[in-house]
Amino acid sequence: MPQTPRQRARAQTMDDIIRIGRAHLVENGAAALSLRAVARDLGVVPSAVYRYVANRDDLLTLLVVDGFDELGDAVDAALSQAPVGDFRGQFLLAAHALRAWALASPATYALLYGSPVPGYRAPDERTTGPGTRVVRRLIGIWDVAHHDGQLALHEVEVPATLSDDLETIRLELGVRVPDAVLARAATVWAAMIGCVSAEVFGLYGSDTFADTGALYDFQLAALADSVGFTSSR
Amino acid sequence: MPQTPRQRARAQTMDDIIRIGRAHLVENGAAALSLRAVARDLGVVPSAVYRYVANRDDLLTLLVVDGFDELGDAVDAALSQAPVGDFRGQFLLAAHALRAWALASPATYALLYGSPVPGYRAPDERTTGPGTRVVRRLIGIWDVAHHDGQLALHEVEVPATLSDDLETIRLELGVRVPDAVLARAATVWAAMIGCVSAEVFGLYGSDTFADTGALYDFQLAALADSVGFTSSR
DNA sequence: TGTACATCAGTGAACGCGCGTTCACTGATGTAC
DNA sequence: TGTACATCAGTGAACGCGCGTTCACTGATGTAC
């Protein structure tokens, strides 16, 4: 597709807006994200930004999608290095990629997995796809592991009221893991977000843990065990 | 201590400010918390609020402390109903109290356990005490359970770099649980926050789980197992 | 290849708004004698 | 018990600031013939 100079300039400006927006996220947070401030950094009059972005909420949505994509790419990149067949190893690589990205981009991580932004609701049709990339990759790992008989999950009872929802997830994701594995996956995912948030958001207190990387490794081992990954060979 | 009318009025106004502040948290979030808006609802001129609160950050700190206290009270109340000696049951009661309080006060929960408020840092000397009430109660449960030989935690390896920090925690909290239990406690605590945040912050997606209470029960069972609580008798 | 018209990025002014914080003040409440 | 003074809650005006969004506009870029 041949691009006119005008189209290239537009794409460039669009990228600049997202880059500047993310920088502002770091300093002021999502609630204070301001089109005027973005325009200022872009070297342009405030109204000019409206050529690129419908309004403030639209800019937030762009940042959400961009953030999910960057995180998804990071996890994909990590998994592309993973040894085939070592499912526990794959899980750990993905989990480490999540933490590394969150620590590198704490403000964007907060936008995606922290407190909701008051008055803003991400439009499902634009964010659901990018927003579920990581969890889909994770469940994919469990799916293959389960098929290969590498998931030593002893029988756990799953509440009956969850069955329908779990079946829906199975259909949407095209996986065949049993309820117990799927429900444990939801547990591990939420727990993993909790561990990362605790560190990124400073929930442990200022100086409680010096080597938070080691703590995360310890936490991941427990999570990997709980979903039935056998120890790495 | 006899109170003059003026002192009573002051205490009353102070309570009102906190109550109004928390209501504003719900609608606008912490980042947009405004002294002027509080003054408006209080029926008073903006500058009058400065008789009660040094500045905007000070009001935030009041809300943080008030939130931690309310949550601490809720957990304490739940645990006062717990059967003596049933440690798993105590853990589950505390965990349910946390979720119930978070769902009832999502905005305050977000202030305590969600994304940090940009530009605000809670002063340690005022928030550390109230902020660690819940985790201290939880570790207390593990401590007693361990002393009673009710903690079936098979040997797990704890990274050596964590030992010093864990020893510091043991001293500060006056408990005697081994490293493995304490590190698992940190894991369970972060995971529990993650499960509650996932629900309160809407991280699962709009309609993924209908019975989130059942999901939480399932998640808690996994967490209780992972720290070695035996099934309730 | 040259011209006429359409598209569109960016300007500049304006709208009405809310914010935190300060200051000198009034008048009611509390306290010491 | 009564008076003089100190304390302090609340007023009202002002400061300088940033915000989202609209509108009519200019002038460069792109396109159809």
Coordinates of all heavy atoms in Angstrom, one line a residue, chain B residues 16-17 19-25 27-29 32-47 49-50 56 59, chain C residues 18-21:
Chain B
D16 N -18.0 14.4 59.3 CA -18.7 14.7 58.0 C -17.7 14.9 56.9 O -18.0 14.4 55.8 CB -19.4 16.1 58.2 CG -20.6 15.9 59.1 OD1 -21.0 14.8 59.4 OD2 -21.2 17.0 59.6
I17 N -16.6 15.5 57.1 CA -15.6 15.7 56.1 C -15.1 14.3 55.5 O -15.0 14.1 54.3 CB -14.4 16.5 56.6 CG1 -14.8 17.9 56.7 CG2 -13.2 16.4 55.6 CD1 -13.7 18.8 57.3
R19 N -16.8 11.5 55.8 CA -17.9 10.8 55.1 C -18.1 11.4 53.7 O -18.2 10.6 52.7 CB -19.2 11.0 55.9 CG -20.4 10.3 55.4 CD -21.6 10.5 56.4 NE -21.7 11.9 56.9 CZ -22.1 12.9 56.2 NH1 -22.6 12.7 54.9 NH2 -22.2 14.1 56.7
I20 N -18.1 12.7 53.6 CA -18.2 13.3 52.3 C -17.1 13.0 51.3 O -17.3 12.7 50.2 CB -18.4 14.9 52.4 CG1 -19.7 15.2 53.2 CG2 -18.3 15.6 51.1 CD1 -19.8 16.7 53.6
G21 N -15.9 13.0 51.9 CA -14.7 12.6 51.1 C -14.8 11.2 50.5 O -14.5 11.0 49.4
R22 N -15.3 10.3 51.3 CA -15.4 8.9 50.8 C -16.5 8.9 49.7 O -16.4 8.1 48.8 CB -15.7 8.0 52.0 CG -14.5 7.7 52.8 CD -14.7 6.6 53.8 NE -15.2 5.3 53.3 CZ -15.2 4.2 54.0 NH1 -14.7 4.2 55.2 NH2 -15.7 3.1 53.5
A23 N -17.6 9.6 49.9 CA -18.6 9.7 48.9 C -18.0 10.2 47.6 O -18.3 9.7 46.5 CB -19.8 10.5 49.3
H24 N -17.2 11.2 47.7 CA -16.6 11.8 46.4 C -15.6 10.8 45.8 O -15.5 10.7 44.6 CB -15.8 13.1 46.8 CG -16.8 14.2 47.0 ND1 -16.6 15.4 46.3 CD2 -17.9 14.3 47.7 CE1 -17.6 16.2 46.7 NE2 -18.4 15.6 47.5
L25 N -14.9 10.0 46.6 CA -14.1 8.9 46.1 C -14.9 8.0 45.2 O -14.4 7.6 44.1 CB -13.6 8.1 47.3 CG -12.1 7.9 47.5 CD1 -11.3 9.2 47.3 CD2 -11.8 7.3 48.8
E27 N -17.5 8.7 43.4 CA -17.9 9.3 42.1 C -16.8 9.7 41.2 O -16.8 9.6 40.0 CB -18.8 10.5 42.4 CG -20.2 10.1 42.9 CD -20.8 11.2 43.7 OE1 -20.5 12.4 43.5 OE2 -21.5 10.9 44.7
N28 N -15.7 10.2 41.8 CA -14.6 10.8 41.0 C -13.3 10.2 41.2 O -12.4 10.5 40.5 CB -14.5 12.3 41.4 CG -15.9 12.9 41.4 OD1 -16.7 12.8 40.5 ND2 -16.2 13.6 42.6
G29 N -13.1 9.3 42.2 CA -11.8 8.7 42.4 C -10.9 9.6 43.2 O -11.1 10.8 43.3
A32 N -9.2 12.9 41.7 CA -10.0 14.1 41.5 C -10.6 14.5 42.8 O -11.5 15.4 42.7 CB -11.1 13.8 40.4
L33 N -10.2 14.0 43.9 CA -10.7 14.4 45.2 C -10.4 15.9 45.4 O -9.3 16.3 45.3 CB -10.1 13.6 46.3 CG -10.6 13.9 47.7 CD1 -12.1 13.4 47.8 CD2 -9.8 13.3 48.8
S34 N -11.4 16.7 45.7 CA -11.3 18.1 45.7 C -11.8 18.7 47.0 O -12.9 18.5 47.4 CB -12.0 18.7 44.5 OG -12.8 19.8 44.8
L35 N -10.9 19.5 47.6 CA -11.3 20.2 48.8 C -12.5 21.1 48.6 O -13.4 21.3 49.5 CB -10.2 21.0 49.4 CG -9.0 20.2 50.0 CD1 -8.1 21.1 50.7 CD2 -9.6 19.2 51.0
R36 N -12.6 21.8 47.5 CA -13.7 22.7 47.2 C -15.0 21.9 47.1 O -16.0 22.4 47.6 CB -13.4 23.4 45.8 CG -12.4 24.5 45.9 CD -12.3 25.3 44.6 NE -13.0 26.6 44.8 CZ -12.4 27.7 44.9 NH1 -11.1 27.8 44.8 NH2 -13.1 28.8 45.1
A37 N -15.0 20.7 46.5 CA -16.2 20.0 46.4 C -16.7 19.5 47.8 O -17.8 19.5 48.1 CB -16.0 18.8 45.5
V38 N -15.7 19.1 48.6 CA -16.0 18.7 50.0 C -16.7 19.9 50.7 O -17.7 19.7 51.4 CB -14.8 18.2 50.7 CG1 -15.1 18.0 52.2 CG2 -14.3 16.8 50.1
A39 N -16.0 21.0 50.6 CA -16.6 22.2 51.2 C -18.0 22.5 50.8 O -18.9 22.8 51.6 CB -15.7 23.4 50.9
R40 N -18.2 22.4 49.5 CA -19.6 22.6 48.9 C -20.6 21.7 49.6 O -21.6 22.1 50.1 CB -19.5 22.3 47.4 CG -20.4 23.3 46.6 CD -19.9 23.5 45.2 NE -19.3 22.3 44.6 CZ -18.1 22.3 44.0 NH1 -17.4 23.4 43.9 NH2 -17.6 21.2 43.5
D41 N -20.3 20.4 49.6 CA -21.2 19.4 50.3 C -21.4 19.7 51.8 O -22.4 19.3 52.3 CB -20.8 18.0 50.0 CG -21.1 17.5 48.6 OD1 -21.5 18.4 47.8 OD2 -21.1 16.3 48.3
L42 N -20.3 20.2 52.3 CA -20.4 20.5 53.8 C -21.2 21.7 54.0 O -21.5 22.1 55.2 CB -18.9 20.6 54.3 CG -18.7 20.5 55.8 CD1 -19.1 19.2 56.3 CD2 -17.2 20.7 56.1
G43 N -21.4 22.5 53.0 CA -22.2 23.7 53.1 C -21.4 24.9 53.7 O -21.9 25.7 54.5
V44 N -20.2 24.9 53.2 CA -19.2 25.9 53.9 C -18.3 26.4 52.8 O -18.2 25.8 51.7 CB -18.4 25.0 54.9 CG1 -17.0 25.0 54.6 CG2 -18.8 25.5 56.3
V45 N -17.7 27.5 53.0 CA -16.9 28.2 52.1 C -15.5 27.4 51.9 O -15.1 26.8 52.9 CB -16.7 29.6 52.5 CG1 -15.4 29.8 53.1 CG2 -17.1 30.6 51.5
P46 N -14.9 27.3 50.8 CA -13.7 26.5 50.6 C -12.7 26.6 51.7 O -12.1 25.7 52.2 CB -13.2 26.9 49.2 CG -14.3 27.5 48.5 CD -15.3 28.0 49.5
S47 N -12.4 27.9 52.0 CA -11.3 28.1 52.9 C -11.5 27.5 54.3 O -10.6 27.3 55.1 CB -10.9 29.6 53.0 OG -12.1 30.3 53.3
V49 N -12.5 24.7 55.2 CA -12.0 23.3 55.3 C -10.6 23.3 55.9 O -10.2 22.3 56.5 CB -12.1 22.5 54.0 CG1 -11.7 21.1 54.2 CG2 -13.6 22.6 53.4
Y50 N -9.9 24.3 55.6 CA -8.5 24.4 56.1 C -8.4 24.5 57.6 O -7.3 24.4 58.1 CB -7.7 25.5 55.4 CG -7.4 25.2 53.9 CD1 -8.3 25.4 52.9 CD2 -6.2 24.7 53.6 CE1 -8.0 25.1 51.6 CE2 -5.9 24.4 52.3 CZ -6.8 24.6 51.3 OH -6.5 24.3 50.0
R56 N -4.9 19.0 50.6 CA -5.6 17.9 49.9 C -5.0 16.6 50.2 O -5.7 15.6 50.5 CB -5.5 18.2 48.4 CG -6.6 17.5 47.6 CD -6.2 17.5 46.1 NE -5.3 16.4 45.9 CZ -5.6 15.3 45.2 NH1 -6.8 15.2 44.7 NH2 -4.7 14.4 45.1
L59 N -6.2 15.3 53.5 CA -7.5 14.7 53.5 C -7.4 13.2 52.9 O -8.0 12.3 53.4 CB -8.4 15.5 52.6 CG -9.8 14.9 52.3 CD1 -10.5 14.6 53.6 CD2 -10.6 15.9 51.4
Chain C
dG18 P -18.3 24.6 38.1 OP1 -19.4 23.8 38.6 OP2 -18.2 26.1 38.4 O5' -16.9 24.0 38.5 C5' -16.6 22.7 38.0 C4' -15.2 22.4 38.5 O4' -14.3 23.3 37.7 C3' -15.0 22.8 39.9 O3' -14.4 21.7 40.6 C2' -14.0 23.9 39.9 C1' -13.4 23.9 38.5 N9 -13.1 25.2 38.1 C8 -13.9 26.3 37.9 N7 -13.4 27.4 37.6 C5 -12.0 27.1 37.5 C6 -10.9 27.9 37.2 O6 -10.9 29.1 36.9 N1 -9.7 27.2 37.3 C2 -9.6 25.8 37.6 N2 -8.4 25.3 37.7 N3 -10.7 25.1 37.9 C4 -11.8 25.8 37.9
dC19 P -14.1 21.7 42.1 OP1 -14.4 20.3 42.6 OP2 -14.8 22.8 42.8 O5' -12.6 22.0 42.2 C5' -11.7 21.1 41.5 C4' -10.3 21.7 41.5 O4' -10.3 22.9 40.7 C3' -9.9 22.2 42.9 O3' -9.3 21.1 43.6 C2' -8.8 23.2 42.5 C1' -9.2 23.8 41.1 N1 -9.7 25.1 41.1 C2 -8.8 26.2 41.1 O2 -7.6 25.9 41.1 N3 -9.2 27.5 41.0 C4 -10.5 27.7 41.0 N4 -10.9 29.0 40.9 C5 -11.5 26.7 41.0 C6 -11.0 25.4 41.1
dG20 P -9.2 21.2 45.2 OP1 -8.9 19.9 45.7 OP2 -10.3 22.0 45.7 O5' -7.9 22.1 45.3 C5' -6.7 21.6 44.8 C4' -5.5 22.4 45.2 O4' -5.7 23.7 44.7 C3' -5.4 22.6 46.7 O3' -4.0 22.7 47.1 C2' -6.1 24.0 47.0 C1' -5.8 24.7 45.7 N9 -6.8 25.7 45.3 C8 -8.2 25.4 45.2 N7 -8.9 26.5 44.8 C5 -7.9 27.5 44.6 C6 -8.1 28.8 44.2 O6 -9.1 29.4 43.9 N1 -6.9 29.5 44.2 C2 -5.7 28.9 44.5 N2 -4.6 29.7 44.4 N3 -5.5 27.7 44.9 C4 -6.7 27.0 44.9
dT21 P -3.6 22.6 48.6 OP1 -2.2 22.0 48.7 OP2 -4.7 22.0 49.4 O5' -3.4 24.1 48.9 C5' -2.8 25.0 47.9 C4' -2.9 26.4 48.3 O4' -4.1 27.0 47.8 C3' -2.9 26.7 49.8 O3' -1.8 27.4 50.2 C2' -4.2 27.5 50.0 C1' -4.5 28.0 48.6 N1 -5.9 28.3 48.3 C2 -6.2 29.5 47.8 O2 -5.4 30.4 47.5 N3 -7.6 29.7 47.6 C4 -8.6 28.9 47.8 O4 -9.8 29.1 47.6 C5 -8.2 27.6 48.4 C7 -9.2 26.5 48.7 C6 -6.9 27.4 48.6

